[in-house]
Amino acid sequence: MVMAMETGHGGLEPKRTAAESKKPLRAAAARGALAVCFLAVPAVLLLQWLQSGASPEWLCQAERPAEDDRDIQDDMLDDISPSPHIEYDRLLGGLLIDGFDEKSCRSRYQFARYHTSPSIPSPYLIERLRKQELLQKKCGPGTKAYNEASKKLRSGQSTNTTDCNYLLLTIHAGLGNRMLEITSVFLYALLTNRILLVDRYMEIGDLFCEPFPGTSWLVPSDFPLNYGDFTQRSPESYGNMLQNKVAAGNTDLSLAGTRPHYVFLYLDGDNDFHDRLFFCEDDQRFLQGVQWLIIRTDMYFVPSLFLIPAFQDELGRLFPEKDTVFHHLARYLFHPSNDIWYTVTKYYRFYLAKAEKRVGIQIRIYEKKGILQRNGPFPHILNQIFSCAQNEKLLPEIGMAEGAAETQNKAQTQNNRTIAVLTTSLSSWYSDQIQKKYDEHATVDGTTVEVHQPSHEEYQRSKNKKHNKKALAEIYLLSMTDELITSGFSTFGYAAQGLAGLKPWIMFRSESHVVPDPPCDRAMSIEPCFHNAPFYDCKAKRNTDLGKVVPYVRHCEDVSWGLKIVNQTQL
C-alpha cells in the first residue's frame, strides 16, 4: 500500500509528484523506502495510539513515481478496499459519459466504488446534460462563437439574439459555499440554455477536473471585463440598474433592442430587495435577452428557482424526486483532482474500509471568541455530539459503572463489530474526547469504536490552497460514510450530505452553552438550505411566506427563515 501524505499540522495534504520523478532507479528506491516504512508502521501506530488515543497522522513521506500509471487501487489488498473487479455503476446512472482520460482524473469513474447512490437520475436530466455538453463544446472558450462574443463584449457592440449566451460565475467564498453556488448557477444555466464559465482565479482548476468533454469551464485569462471589481453598487449591477431606472419597465418585451451587453447579478447573502428581483419571472424575461450574465453569489439559491413559474415544469421533468438536485448535479460536476482523490481513497482504505459501519460527524463551532479559541474546547458541544449519536443509536452506549467492566469486556470478546467514526473539525479536541470516552469505558454490546480525524487546522483559511484541498478531501470522506451527523447552518455539511444522498442528523446551534433539546433531528431531505431566501411574492407584489407556497419548498430545520427543497406533495 503506497502512502503519499505529508506529515504535519493538518496531516491530510498529499505531496504532489515531482516532475522529474521519472527515472526507474528513483522509482525503485521510493518503493523500497516505502516498504521499509510500512514494516515500521504497526509499531509506531500502536505507540502513538497508546500515547494519545487519537487516530494517527500520516507517518511516511514518499513521492508516488510519476511513471506508475497503475490504477491507484491495483496495489491495495482486497480486504481493506473495494475490489477493482466488482461491478459498480461507474457512469453514475448515466450522469457521466465515457470518453474522458481516466488517468488524468481518476475520481470521475472511481467515486462509484466508494459510494452507492440511493437515487437514479431521470432520463430527461441525462438528455439535458448531453445537450448542455454539446452547447459548452460549441460555444466554450477557444471556439469561433466565443471569440466573436468576447470581441463584441470588449468593443461594446450590440449583440443580436444568439445560440451562445453565457453565464460567468465569480467565486470568493469558502469551499462548501463554492460547491453550492456552482451547482446553483449550473442549474440556472440548464434552465436558460447558457454556457457556464467559472472564475479561473480561485483554484477551481486545482481542486476539480473539467466536467465538460472537449472544452473548459474556466474563464479565459484574456476575458475583456474586470469582473472581479464589480460590486453591488456598480452601474452594471442589475439591482442598481433597477434603482436607477436603467432597466425600468423591464417587463416590456419591446425593450429587446435596448438591453445592455452584459448584466452583473449580485446574489450574495447581503443583497437587497432590488437584487433579489432576479427571482421574479418578469425579470427573468428581461435577462433572457442579455448575452452575458456575470453572477456573484455565496448561496444555494436553487429553492427560489423552483418558485419561478416559468421554470417549474422543466424542473419537474429534470427532477421527479425534487430533493435530489444537488445530489445529481454535484456528482456530475465535481470530480476531485488526482492528488486530492489519492488522499481520499488512501485514507478511506487505511482507516474506514474494514469497519462494519462508518459514522461521519461534521463539527462546526459558531462561538465568537478569539480566532484560536472559537473552535473550543466547549464541553456542551461534546455533550451534544454524544447525546445525538447515542440517542439516535448511531454510536453504542457505554457502561459508566466500573463494576460492569468485566461483563462488558466479556461482551466485547463475543462481538467483533467495529464502528469507524470520521470526525471533521478545525479542532482535534472533540475527536480526542470521543475516543477517550470509548477507550476508558467499554460499550454495552461490545462494539469497538475507532475515531479518526484527518486534519485540524484550528481556524478556517478559505484562500489557502492546501487548506481547501484538505477540506475537499474531508467532504468526500464524509460522503462515504453510512450515517452522518452535521452541524446546522454549515455549507460544508450540506455538501457532504448532498454528495452522499444521506438525510443527516442535524445538530442545532446551542444558546448560552446549553445542549439543545433535542440535541439533533433528522433532516427532511438531503438538499442544502438557501440561507438568505427572498420573501417577496413577485405576482402579488408584497412580502409573503414563501415556505408555504408550494409543498416541495419548505423552511429549513436549521435556519428558520431559509428555504430548502423537500420531496413532499402536500402542504
Side-chain angles (χ1 to χ4, degrees):
M1 177 172 166
V2 178
M3 300 178 70
M5 306 296 297
E6 281 188 1
T7 303
H9 183 64
L12 181 65
E13 179 67 14
K15 290 188 70 175
R16 287 183 178 273
T17 302
E20 65 271 15
S21 61
K22 298 182 179 180
K23 297 180 180 180
L25 183 59
R26 181 173 178 179
R31 294 190 185 96
L34 283 171
V36 172
C37 175
F38 277 100
L39 288 176
V41 162
V44 178
L45 288 177
L46 178 59
L47 177 60
Q48 188 177 42
W49 181 267
L50 291 175
Q51 288 177 337
S52 67
S55 59
E57 295 183 353
W58 295 102
L59 305 177
C60 304
Q61 297 188 41
E63 294 179 353
R64 186 170 179 232
E67 80 279 8
D68 188 353
D69 287 331
R70 297 174 297 166
D71 188 291
I72 63 174
Q73 290 200 15
D74 289 348
D75 56 356
M76 301 297 171
L77 299 177
D78 288 342
D79 64 338
I80 60 170
S81 67
S83 170
H85 306 294
I86 65 173
E87 291 294 327
Y88 65 96
D89 183 10
R90 65 194 294 271
L91 300 181
L92 305 180
L95 289 177
L96 309 181
I97 61 171
D98 274 316
F100 284 93
D101 178 11
E102 294 191 33
K103 293 179 182 178
S104 66
C105 183
R106 297 190 182 275
S107 66
R108 191 189 314 274
Y109 298 127
Q110 290 186 6
F111 180 51
R113 295 185 183 181
Y114 298 87
H115 173 76
T116 301
S117 173
S119 302
I120 300 174
S122 70
Y124 185 66
L125 173 60
I126 294 170
E127 176 186 337
R128 285 293 291 111
L129 290 175
R130 300 295 86 86
K131 289 182 179 179
Q132 183 69 23
E133 290 164 356
L134 293 175
L135 185 64
Q136 296 275 156
K137 189 172 182 178
K138 172 186 175 182
C139 303
T143 63
K144 180 180 179 180
Y146 174 84
N147 292 338
E148 289 180 353
S150 180
K151 181 179 179 181
K152 289 182 178 180
L153 184 63
R154 180 179 289 106
S155 64
Q157 292 178 308
S158 60
T159 303
N160 297 323
T161 302
T162 174
D163 292 334
C164 296
N165 296 315
Y166 298 87
L167 183 61
L168 190 163
L169 172 65
T170 71
I171 295 175
H172 65 98
L175 183 62
N177 293 77
R178 293 184 197 183
M179 296 177 70
L180 269 57
E181 67 192 52
I182 291 174
T183 304
S184 302
V185 173
F186 178 63
L187 177 59
Y188 181 66
L190 281 179
L191 294 172
T192 57
N193 294 308
R194 290 181 178 273
I195 294 87
L196 173 65
L197 300 174
V198 298
D199 192 346
R200 70 182 301 113
Y201 297 108
M202 289 298 288
E203 306 164 359
I204 296 300
D206 295 317
L207 297 172
F208 300 107
C209 308
E210 295 275 3
F212 306 121
T215 187
S216 175
W217 67 340
L218 300 178
V219 178
S221 57
D222 61 350
F223 187 74
L225 300 179
N226 293 323
Y227 55 83
D229 295 335
F230 292 164
T231 70
Q232 185 180 20
R233 299 306 171 196
S234 296
E236 301 87 357
S237 163
Y238 185 61
N240 203 34
M241 287 181 177
L242 292 177
Q243 293 186 72
N244 295 329
K245 309 301 182 182
V246 174
N250 59 325
T251 61
D252 185 355
L253 297 182
S254 66
L255 288 176
T258 64
R259 283 173 171 78
H261 309 307
Y262 65 93
V263 168
F264 174 59
L265 302 166
Y266 185 83
L267 299 180
D268 267 0
D270 61 347
N271 59 16
D272 62 21
F273 169 78
H274 290 92
D275 298 315
R276 291 193 288 271
L277 291 178
F278 166 83
F279 296 108
C280 292
E281 186 164 8
D282 289 341
D283 295 79
Q284 282 299 318
R285 290 197 188 100
F286 174 78
L287 294 170
Q288 187 176 359
V290 181
Q291 185 175 26
W292 289 91
L293 297 181
I294 301 167
I295 186 169
R296 173 186 167 112
T297 183
D298 55 4
M299 292 284 150
Y300 184 73
F301 59 75
V302 168
S304 286
L305 296 180
F306 274 75
L307 296 176
I308 299 175
F311 294 156
Q312 288 174 344
D313 288 345
E314 181 76 355
L315 286 167
R317 296 181 66 192
L318 290 169
F319 304 101
E321 293 181 271
K322 289 183 170 58
D323 61 347
T324 61
V325 177
F326 184 83
H327 178 62
H328 291 316
L329 295 187
R331 292 186 307 138
Y332 171 78
L333 287 170
F334 303 122
H335 311 290
S337 59
N338 277 354
D339 54 349
I340 299 172
W341 186 244
Y342 193 54
T343 301
V344 171
T345 54
K346 186 154 40 350
Y347 196 94
Y348 177 88
R349 297 187 211 103
F350 200 82
Y351 293 116
L352 307 178
K354 285 186 176 181
E356 295 287 326
K357 178 181 176 182
R358 286 160 286 275
V359 177
I361 303 178
Q362 181 260 330
I363 306 168
R364 178 65 187 268
I365 309 298
Y366 295 97
E367 299 291 339
K368 301 298 183 182
K369 295 186 177 182
I371 291 178
L372 297 181
Q373 290 79 41
R374 66 174 56 156
N375 294 299
F378 296 111
H380 69 285
I381 299 294
L382 180 65
N383 292 336
Q384 184 178 9
I385 295 169
F386 272 117
S387 296
C388 176
Q390 294 182 342
N391 290 351
E392 306 304 336
K393 311 300 182 186
L394 304 180
L395 292 181
E397 296 182 10
I398 58 177
M400 301 303 295
E402 295 184 5
E406 184 176 345
T407 302
Q408 293 158 6
N409 290 335
K410 183 178 180 180
Q412 191 164 359
T413 61
Q414 298 172 352
N415 182 0
N416 294 323
R417 187 168 184 257
T418 298
I419 296 178
V421 179
L422 177 77
T423 62
T424 64
S425 173
L426 293 173
S427 169
S428 63
W429 183 79
Y430 302 97
S431 61
D432 290 344
Q433 292 301 308
I434 296 171
Q435 185 65 70
K436 181 180 179 181
K437 182 75 73 173
Y438 280 103
D439 285 346
E440 294 178 348
H441 304 275
T443 59
V444 172
D445 62 359
T447 300
T448 299
V449 176
E450 298 177 351
V451 184
H452 310 287
Q453 180 170 335
S455 71
H456 46 93
E457 297 285 278
E458 302 304 332
Y459 60 95
Q460 185 173 351
R461 294 174 287 175
S462 59
K463 295 183 179 180
N464 182 282
K465 183 184 296 186
K466 286 188 176 183
H467 178 90
N468 286 328
K469 286 187 173 184
K470 293 175 185 179
L472 182 59
E474 292 184 352
I475 286 174
Y476 272 83
L477 284 167
L478 284 172
S479 78
M480 295 173 180
T481 58
D482 304 308
E483 301 278 3
L484 191 57
I485 299 173
T486 63
S487 297
F489 210 83
S490 172
T491 57
F492 192 99
Y494 294 161
Q497 75 192 42
L499 284 169
L502 292 175
K503 293 181 181 179
W505 296 93
I506 303 174
M507 292 190 295
F508 302 115
R509 295 173 69 168
S510 63
E511 296 182 6
S512 302
H513 289 191
V514 176
V515 176
D517 184 17
C520 64
D521 198 5
R522 194 70 180 267
M524 292 182 290
S525 77
I526 63 178
E527 278 286 296
C529 176
F530 183 7
H531 287 170
N532 197 42
F535 44 86
Y536 181 70
D537 185 328
C538 300
K539 186 174 182 180
K541 298 189 183 303
R542 59 180 173 81
N543 291 340
T544 191
D545 186 350
L546 296 182
K548 297 180 179 180
V549 175
V550 294
Y552 45 84
V553 177
R554 308 300 294 269
H555 289 296
C556 311
E557 304 89 344
D558 53 334
V559 185
S560 60
W561 59 88
L563 296 178
K564 72 181 299 184
I565 303 168
V566 298
N567 204 28
Q568 293 179 225
T569 57
Q570 293 183 340
L571 283 170

